[in-house]
Amino acid sequence: MTEQLPTTFNPAEIEARWYQHWEEKGLFRPERPDAEPFTIVNPPPNVTGSLHIGHALDNTLQDIVVRYERLRGKDALWVVGTDHAGIATQMVVERQLEERQDKRTNYSREEFVDKVWEWKAESGGTITGQLRRLGCSMDWSREQFTMDEHFTKAVLKTFVDLYNDGLIYRDKRLVNWDPKLKTAISDLEVESQNIPGHFWHFKYPLEDGVTLPDGRDYIEVATTRPETMLADMAVAVHPSDERYASVVGKHVVLPITGRKVPIITDEHADPELGSGAVKITPGHDFNDFEVGKRAGIAAGEMLNMLDGDANVCQTADGLVPEEYLGLHRFKRDGVSGARELVVQRLKEQGFLIPHITKTKKGETQELDAEPRTIATPFGDRGGVVIEPWLTDQWYVDAEKLAQKPIQQVKDGTIEIVPQSWEKTFFNWMENIQPWCISRQLWWGHRIPAWFGPKVGKDQKKASPVKINLRADSPPGQIKISTVEPSERVAFVAMTEAEAIAQAKEYYPDNFDVGVGEHDVGVPDMVRLIRDPDVLDTWFSSALWPFATLGWPNESDLLEKHFPNDLLISGFDILFFWDARMMMMGQYNMGKAPWPKLYLHGLVRAADGAKMSKSKGNVVDPLGLIDEYGADALRFFMAAMESQGRDIKMDNERVKGYRNFATKLWNATRFCQSNGIGASSTLAAPEARLAANQWIIGEVQQTVEALDAAMADLRFDAAANTIYQFTWSKFCDWYLELIKPVFAEGASETAATETREVAGWALDQIFVMLHPFMPFITEELWHAQGALNGPENGNPRSEYPIITAKWPNPRANVSKPATDAIDWVIELTSNVRSAKNELGIAPGAKLAAFLPSASELASSTIERSSAAIERLARLTPVTLGEAPDGPAMQVTAGGDVFVIPLEGIIDIAEEKARLKKALEASQKEAKSLEGRLGNANFVERAKPEAVEKAKADFAHHSAEAERLTAALARLG
RNA sequence: GGGCGUAUAGCUCAGUGGUAGAGCACUGUAUUGACAUUGCAGGGGUCGGAAGUUCAACUCUUCCUACGCCCA
């Protein structure tokens, strides 16, 4: 890429080329052993996923920070990798099998897992390729996967350590069961939705002729889930509810099952809700579970009436009638379920209390149930209603692990940006529930626990036959798969061998211990079996900040890059991922994983709706890249990212930033056509000309503003700063100001200086813009380098911009010089504006008189007459009184130019213009006068505010006077 | 029911205790050499409503209204 740039900027043409160059040359992680580290870990996307607009935002922000820090000389490491995403990935592969009329259970576990690995090999590169298209400068040489061998080691170690510390335990309690995926899920994976449903009222007859004070021989209960009455174990009333005090301790006989259940008291029963009496199904409702426990029912005794598919099964007491067995819990695919049958039977038997209501026409109507909106839990992956189900699962004691992170956020060890998220964080962390981490899936990290039969102390020395817990096991051989969970003991270890060793310690000396289901002819042997479940995906990704760096092995890499410096994530995974990294970071590493957590919002559709596949309003970032270029999309994301707000998609704005890239492209072409090439110094060149000093000063201010914005992670402010500088200062003013320097016959010294300064300023733009728009800046950087390259001894063109140096102008610009340019700019704008209002052709050159010139004016007119002529189109400018006759007045600073208008314009129009300006000044002056006349203001306001008001008043009064005089002169 | 957030120009959004800004859109205008993916100029806002604090409120406080999100 030398010689000439094409006349139009084509993003697609340069993007692939530069990305490949960076990656091949290892530029995303240049060797900087002595440099200060800077580390970000990428939230690992699902391995089989593809890039959506949220990834585009998340990764753009991270790349901006990483490129910025790399340019500032740090050893910047952006860890990248993918997540095995247990449920999501298994679902994808199962769906593929379904399409071929096949299913998972047609295969062995090993065969199926192999299929998932095959699928990963096939499609795992999709999203990583897409991240490259976005320009993300991650360290691909160390790409990670949460099921890499070393990662698995980290996961197992964490599990074993937590278990040994009592922070992981097995418990029988209600879990959120997804009957479609047939696995337990955590609280976070449950989404509550309000859906229309019903509230049924039933009569539960009192036993043995007992009656309520009002004579009724039944208790009325209401429920939204009638089918669960098959497993009801009590009726609860509030302890202070007088209506039922006389029957507490008595029993009701449940319709259908005939089960006798007690009437108990519990705070959970709300006297205001329905009849005040509530049916209690401890095995299928979270609240009832707690009520049941308080009533002294152990988890193991709680009745269960559903199987893993949420079909009715027989309860332990065998009281569920035959006709219910096998029915689904409720109507599904048009087929009635247990719910419908229960309602039908109760109605037939007279136990249903109808809901009486009036129609719109005022007629009384009788319904089976009261219509009601019900907050219903759904699995976020499976999409079906979650069933609270009593099972044995592994839990993390999240409450204990949460304590240190809570404190760290409170004491500032971890800063959450924007801070408003702290409250949400505390609210969740301070009420955190045990974290269910076991999943009944095949794809994932298998839990390192091996079960064997529990042995009582007295059995320790007994013969093998006596610890044979089940009749169907041959003597001396114990198959754990036939042992009730409550009769199992777990050996938790990193390896099978360690688990066996533990087991040998546990079992009587004369026992041998092995692993596996079957055993033929080996007596006196305990067969352990590994827990078939896998861990919640988030259990492994919680280790991401250090397991990706090699932990638990110690290394320089880990030492240098942990803790990380910053985490950027969407607020939607604050609890799923961020909080758990805090817990695991603290537990495993003894430290917070990063000192700062930046949370960004969601990218929404143009109408503000959440994007979703079902709504069909998903915007594909790759499509935007194809249309406008990756640089434009990235700049859009940055410019729109203000803290604490979601981003609404706006294609027009992306287009605007594509235009911005084109603007820079053309500005560079202009520079090249005037012999302006690459800079050769990091510091600003020596400059004498005012325009050059001015742009150097502006660069300096821009760098400062940009650094300030980046320090605060104000991506919008950073993007707008570089945008405004490039377009409004550099292109609109500086390039226009220097055009005369390259005119024929102009000073060669001035041209040389200007080439140096312009080339330098352009390079500073490239570097400052590079984190936001890496592709075009790299392209133009090299194009400029080709113009003033190594053949001239310029070292700058030997390295790419990605590893260039962040601007450090160290310039000393003179105030009179920059003031002069600001003055020219003001004069030019005012002249243009006046001409426009008076309908004078913009190109018309006008003579101007300056009756009393300030020092700034006279020296600027002398030194920068070419710029004044070219931009303000005033020529000649005479220092002195204007001849009599109609004229317009234009100001710059305190200087008033008189521009004769004879023959050019209608005097009336100038008078109108002056009058408008006069009114504005008078209004301002009057308001300021009023304020200054207020003693309270003068006495109590800050002195600088008073000073400013005085100065403004003086200015506006003088302006009004001047305008009045000018008007008078026009007659 | 609890918590959080938002409300500023037609649209999308910044913003500060001293009477408001950007981009897009709109209006007018310019076109022989960087750029029409452009230049120049302009119109447009009682900063959601009410009360309070203050010399001064778009900004701070309280309440209200609307919308959105999270949790139960």
Side-chain angles (χ1 to χ4, degrees):
Chain A
M1 76 252 56
T2 58
E3 302 100 44
Q4 291 212 300
L5 289 166
T7 48
T8 48
F9 161 52
N10 178 5
E13 196 271 321
I14 65 168
E15 288 175 2
R17 175 156 49 81
W18 281 119
Y19 198 91
Q20 197 186 357
H21 176 85
W22 293 327
E23 190 173 353
E24 279 175 2
K25 303 275 184 200
L27 295 171
F28 294 150
R29 185 116 196 283
E31 278 292 313
R32 289 176 177 175
D34 301 324
E36 191 185 333
F38 182 84
T39 315
I40 288 194
V41 295
N42 182 256
N46 290 0
V47 63
T48 57
S50 56
L51 195 79
H52 59 63
I53 199 84
H55 292 122
L57 169 64
D58 191 55
N59 288 287
T60 293
L61 300 181
Q62 291 175 68
D63 196 38
I64 288 168
V65 173
V66 167
R67 285 182 185 265
Y68 172 71
E69 297 294 353
R70 190 184 295 119
L71 284 167
R72 300 211 304 166
K74 292 195 184 163
D75 178 12
L77 169 64
W78 188 8
V79 173
V80 66
T82 48
D83 193 296
H84 68 280
I87 294 180
T89 307
Q90 178 162 329
M91 274 176 73
V92 169
V93 176
E94 287 197 67
R95 209 175 298 135
Q96 286 180 329
L97 290 176
E98 267 169 41
E99 280 167 18
R100 299 197 299 260
Q101 321 297 325
D102 203 351
K103 58 182 180 183
R104 171 171 60 111
T105 47
N106 287 348
Y107 300 88
S108 73
R109 181 177 181 136
E110 288 68 29
E111 284 167 343
F112 178 78
V113 168
D114 282 346
K115 281 186 183 300
V116 182
W117 279 106
E118 279 167 35
W119 168 244
K120 186 222 169 216
E122 196 180 308
S123 78
T126 305
I127 195 159
T128 54
Q130 291 168 331
L131 286 167
R132 286 174 168 93
R133 283 210 58 198
L134 191 62
C136 297
S137 60
M138 295 140 161
D139 181 18
W140 296 107
S141 72
R142 294 192 65 262
E143 184 175 344
Q144 303 283 309
F145 181 53
T146 51
M147 278 177 43
D148 284 341
E149 209 173 308
H150 73 273
F151 213 104
T152 299
K153 192 176 156 195
V155 169
L156 297 184
K157 178 175 164 51
T158 303
F159 187 97
V160 172
D161 288 350
L162 284 167
Y163 177 80
N164 290 334
D165 287 342
L167 294 169
I168 280 184
Y169 55 91
R170 200 158 165 80
D171 196 10
K172 186 186 209 69
R173 45 184 283 166
L174 284 186
V175 289
N176 302 296
W177 182 260
D178 186 320
K180 182 179 176 191
L181 302 172
K182 282 191 254 183
T183 179
I185 58 178
S186 74
D187 296 345
L188 284 176
E189 290 159 282
V190 176
E191 285 174 355
S192 177
Q193 287 180 35
N194 288 321
I195 58 167
H198 304 276
F199 200 42
W200 285 272
H201 296 252
F202 300 131
K203 296 176 183 172
Y204 276 9
L206 287 157
E207 190 193 23
D208 297 337
V210 173
T211 55
L212 289 169
D214 61 10
R216 280 183 295 164
D217 60 355
Y218 64 88
I219 283 192
E220 178 182 342
V221 296
T223 180
T224 58
R225 297 204 56 194
E227 70 278 13
T228 61
M229 76 164 295
L230 299 176
D232 274 357
M233 296 183 77
V235 168
V237 296
H238 195 270
S240 64
D241 197 333
E242 296 297 331
R243 294 171 293 179
Y244 300 106
S246 68
V247 297
V248 169
K250 304 281 195 303
H251 290 75
V252 296
V253 180
L254 292 176
I256 297 179
T257 58
R259 184 181 300 127
K260 267 171 55 176
V261 303
I263 298 161
I264 60 171
T265 58
D266 196 281
E267 301 279 341
H268 167 65
D270 179 0
E272 306 293 319
L273 186 69
S275 66
V278 56
K279 66 191 263 320
I280 299 298
T281 320
H284 295 285
D285 181 282
F286 287 102
N287 286 317
D288 293 4
F289 179 80
E290 297 301 325
V291 174
K293 277 209 308 195
R294 284 196 288 270
I297 308 172
E301 297 164 15
M302 292 176 182
L303 293 174
N304 172 58
M305 55 161 281
L306 293 170
D307 63 17
D309 292 301
N311 294 330
V312 177
C313 62
Q314 187 55 271
T315 51
D317 58 9
L319 293 174
V320 177
E322 190 74 27
E323 63 173 338
Y324 292 89
L325 300 178
L327 290 181
H328 191 58
R329 53 187 168 168
F330 48 63
K331 192 171 182 175
R332 183 178 59 172
D333 301 331
V335 180
S336 289
R339 175 175 301 174
E340 290 72 26
L341 187 58
V342 164
V343 172
Q344 187 193 330
R345 292 286 180 256
L346 290 177
K347 193 174 178 183
E348 288 164 2
Q349 295 165 24
F351 294 115
L352 178 77
I353 302 169
H355 177 68
I356 313 291
T357 183
K358 296 234 165 145
T359 62
K360 280 176 190 168
K361 290 176 187 166
E363 296 158 358
T364 300
Q365 77 174 13
E366 206 176 281
L367 300 174
D368 283 355
E370 178 185 344
R372 182 180 271 229
T373 301
I374 300 161
T376 310
F378 285 81
D380 65 351
R381 291 286 174 184
V384 301
V385 176
I386 290 304
E387 189 61 50
W389 205 40
L390 202 53
T391 55
D392 286 78
Q393 302 284 347
W394 291 98
Y395 291 89
V396 166
D397 185 343
E399 192 183 340
K400 282 216 177 73
L401 291 177
Q403 295 315 309
K404 189 77 181 180
I406 289 171
Q407 184 205 323
Q408 284 166 333
V409 173
K410 280 196 171 140
D411 69 19
T413 308
I414 298 174
E415 183 192 357
I416 299 181
V417 181
Q419 205 183 354
S420 52
W421 281 104
E422 281 186 4
K423 278 186 189 168
T424 310
F425 174 81
F426 290 135
N427 188 43
W428 187 71
M429 290 288 266
E430 284 165 2
N431 297 291
I432 198 164
Q433 297 298 308
W435 172 18
C436 175
I437 49 170
S438 39
R439 297 288 178 276
Q440 288 66 52
L441 302 172
W442 283 354
W443 175 244
H445 295 284
R446 193 158 171 184
I447 290 173
W450 284 260
F451 294 116
K454 198 183 271 181
V455 177
K457 266 192 180 154
D458 57 327
Q459 293 176 304
K460 278 272 185 177
K461 300 293 174 198
S463 75
V465 181
K466 287 208 176 149
I467 64 165
N468 183 1
L469 295 167
R470 298 274 296 234
D472 56 355
S473 291
Q477 290 179 44
I478 296 159
K479 286 199 290 181
I480 184 61
S481 58
T482 59
V483 174
E484 285 297 323
S486 57
E487 296 301 325
R488 292 176 184 181
V489 59
F491 304 101
V492 172
M494 294 280 286
T495 63
E496 187 177 290
E498 286 171 37
I500 290 173
Q502 282 182 30
K504 280 183 174 162
E505 289 289 310
Y506 178 82
Y507 290 108
D509 295 341
N510 53 345
F511 263 61
D512 198 7
V513 177
V515 168
E517 270 292 340
H518 303 290
D519 180 58
V520 183
V522 182
D524 297 355
M525 186 154 194
V526 175
R527 280 294 180 178
L528 303 183
I529 189 164
R530 186 168 181 180
D531 191 321
D533 291 351
V534 300
L535 287 164
D536 181 4
T537 298
W538 299 101
F539 185 89
S540 51
S541 49
L543 314 181
W544 195 248
F546 43 92
T548 54
L549 299 172
W551 185 88
N553 293 343
E554 287 176 21
S555 68
D556 292 346
L557 189 77
L558 181 66
E559 176 68 22
K560 190 170 182 185
H561 293 280
F562 188 90
N564 312 155
D565 289 86
L566 171 67
L567 185 85
I568 295 183
S569 94
F571 66 75
D572 51 332
I573 52 172
L574 173 59
F575 304 132
F576 275 115
W577 192 49
D578 307 346
R580 284 159 178 174
M581 278 191 283
M582 292 187 203
M583 297 186 215
M584 294 303 193
Q586 185 60 40
Y587 178 73
N588 281 324
M589 307 297 290
K591 282 178 192 164
W594 10 257
K596 196 181 269 201
L597 168 60
Y598 181 90
L599 296 171
H600 58 76
L602 250 51
V603 183
R604 296 175 170 277
D607 61 0
K610 206 167 168 174
M611 288 188 194
S612 74
K613 279 183 193 159
S614 54
K615 280 186 210 154
N617 61 350
V618 175
V619 173
D620 177 13
L622 280 307
L624 290 168
I625 291 175
D626 290 338
E627 193 170 1
Y628 303 110
D631 286 336
L633 177 62
R634 291 168 57 107
F635 204 90
F636 166 80
M637 291 295 178
M640 299 305 287
E641 175 55 25
S642 64
Q643 293 174 1
R645 198 191 259 270
D646 287 345
I647 293 178
K648 277 186 202 166
M649 203 53 231
D650 182 356
N651 286 18
E652 281 305 298
R653 195 133 178 172
V654 182
K655 186 174 160 189
Y657 293 125
R658 188 274 317 264
N659 295 355
F660 173 59
T662 306
K663 183 78 181 174
L664 180 64
W665 183 271
N666 282 309
T668 307
R669 287 180 56 231
F670 168 76
C671 288
Q672 297 210 330
S673 70
N674 286 291
I676 296 165
S679 62
S680 51
T681 57
L682 184 61
E686 286 293 320
R688 211 185 52 79
L689 296 180
N692 288 335
Q693 292 203 44
W694 178 80
I695 197 68
I696 290 169
E698 294 290 337
V699 167
Q700 186 137 325
Q701 285 175 34
T702 303
V703 178
E704 284 163 14
L706 198 47
D707 283 335
M710 289 301 293
D712 291 342
L713 295 173
R714 287 305 306 250
F715 294 96
D716 55 344
N720 289 329
T721 298
I722 184 65
Y723 180 95
Q724 291 298 338
F725 173 72
T726 304
W727 201 316
S728 306
K729 302 273 173 157
F730 185 82
C731 293
D732 288 349
W733 288 109
Y734 180 68
L735 292 184
E736 294 304 323
L737 282 162
I738 64 173
K739 278 178 181 173
V741 178
F742 300 114
E744 254 179 80
S747 147
E748 197 45 48
T749 332
T752 304
E753 175 190 301
T754 303
R755 283 194 186 98
E756 273 184 34
V757 173
W760 175 85
L762 193 54
D763 275 355
Q764 308 318 299
I765 289 175
F766 296 152
V767 179
M768 289 189 284
L769 186 57
H770 181 258
F772 304 88
M773 293 190 152
F775 294 108
I776 189 177
T777 50
E778 187 76 84
E779 175 76 10
L780 294 176
W781 174 266
H782 286 273
Q784 283 294 88
L787 218 66
N788 178 22
E791 71 280 3
N792 297 338
N794 184 2
R796 121 89 164 83
S797 47
E798 287 174 9
Y799 50 84
I801 196 172
I802 185 173
T803 50
K805 292 188 175 67
W806 191 248
N808 184 7
R810 294 191 297 260
N812 206 357
V813 294
S814 81
K815 186 153 191 315
T818 56
D819 283 350
I821 298 301
D822 288 334
W823 185 85
V824 170
I825 289 172
E826 190 188 347
L827 174 62
T828 303
S829 300
N830 289 347
V831 169
R832 284 173 178 167
S833 176
K835 278 173 154 178
N836 206 285
E837 280 182 60
L838 297 182
I840 301 171
K845 288 196 176 177
L846 303 175
F849 296 84
L850 192 53
S852 73
S854 66
E855 202 173 306
L856 175 63
S858 50
S859 71
T860 306
I861 289 165
E862 191 188 329
R863 294 180 54 190
S864 304
S865 59
I868 293 170
E869 178 178 340
R870 190 186 150 78
L871 297 178
R873 306 198 72 78
L874 292 181
T875 182
V877 176
T878 308
L879 296 179
E881 290 293 337
D884 283 345
M888 71 171 175
Q889 292 197 347
V890 175
T891 60
D895 294 292
V896 181
F897 286 78
V898 179
I899 299 169
L901 287 180
E902 191 114 52
I904 298 177
I905 195 60
D906 185 355
I907 302 303
E909 289 193 38
E910 170 66 355
K911 282 169 78 175
R913 190 180 75 92
L914 292 178
K915 217 168 161 189
K916 196 172 130 194
L918 175 62
E919 277 163 14
S921 266
Q922 281 173 334
K923 191 180 160 206
E924 276 296 307
K926 199 176 163 198
S927 148
L928 288 161
E929 191 177 20
R931 200 188 301 174
L932 287 164
N934 180 345
N936 270 329
F937 173 70
V938 180
E939 281 163 29
R940 310 178 73 156
K942 283 178 294 188
E944 54 268 35
V946 178
E947 280 313 305
K948 185 171 183 304
K950 281 183 181 165
D952 288 351
F953 175 69
H955 172 255
H956 286 291
S957 318
E959 187 73 4
E961 233 169 82
R962 190 202 104 227
L963 290 163
T964 309
L967 269 168
R969 200 152 356 100
L970 288 174

